[in-house]
Amino acid sequence: MRSCAIALATTQSSSSRNARFRWRSDEERERARAELTAEITRSARDQLREVGAAALSLRAVCTRAGYTQGAFYSNFADREELLLEVMERNLEQKAASLEQMLATCGDAGLDGTLACILDWLDTIHHRGEWARIAMEVGYRKFNRPFWR
């Protein structure tokens, strides 16, 4: 398991067998944090597709991503924050694919643009699990103080 709780790297001097520590630069910490966030978010997305939001297990998400739960909590306040991150990334991906489709079909005329839109809808229709997940998250909003 990897843990990002300590931002230290050890080095050894040839003249001395004592371990010395070097603090990570801000850039290294940000890169490691972005990597951790991306891996945990991907793991959560995969588990959400398999079991849904109600059965999402943080332990399973962390294990699948290869991080400790301590690393999770150093980057996310709680499960709800993770769910919001996953949903936000999903919406960003859909918006990017829609923009790409519109850029590709911009001068195709009405029939061509409609055909492009139908093709795009065909590529995302199999992602209906996201509607179910969004409904579960919305339902949780009304039952948990965090969401209000």
Side-chain angles (χ1 to χ4, degrees), residues 31-140:
R31 187 173 37 250
R33 180 181 168 90
E35 178 184 320
L36 178 138
T37 301
E39 289 181 29
I40 288 178
T41 303
R42 264 192 301 273
S43 175
R45 179 199 63 209
D46 294 344
Q47 190 180 20
L48 279 169
R49 287 178 176 168
E50 293 168 11
V51 300
L56 181 72
S57 162
L58 291 182
R59 180 172 288 141
V61 167
C62 292
T63 300
R64 178 182 272 181
Y67 287 97
T68 64
Q69 286 184 304
F72 171 84
Y73 284 109
S74 70
N75 288 276
F76 295 95
D78 53 24
R79 179 179 193 282
E80 283 76 18
E81 187 176 325
L82 174 63
L83 287 171
L84 289 173
E85 179 71 22
V86 171
M87 294 301 294
E88 184 176 318
R89 287 185 184 218
N90 179 55
L91 290 173
E92 288 171 355
Q93 289 172 348
K94 284 183 180 178
S97 73
L98 179 60
E99 286 177 15
Q100 182 180 20
M101 181 274 302
L102 290 173
T104 304
C105 301
D107 296 329
L110 181 61
D111 289 339
T113 301
L114 288 175
C116 284
I117 291 170
L118 289 174
D119 289 343
W120 178 76
L121 289 172
D122 281 341
T123 66
I124 66 163
H125 88 279
H126 68 281
R127 299 180 188 161
E129 73 272 2
W130 289 108
R132 179 180 47 84
I133 292 166
M135 286 188 285
E136 286 182 47
V137 169
Y139 174 75
R140 293 176 65 81

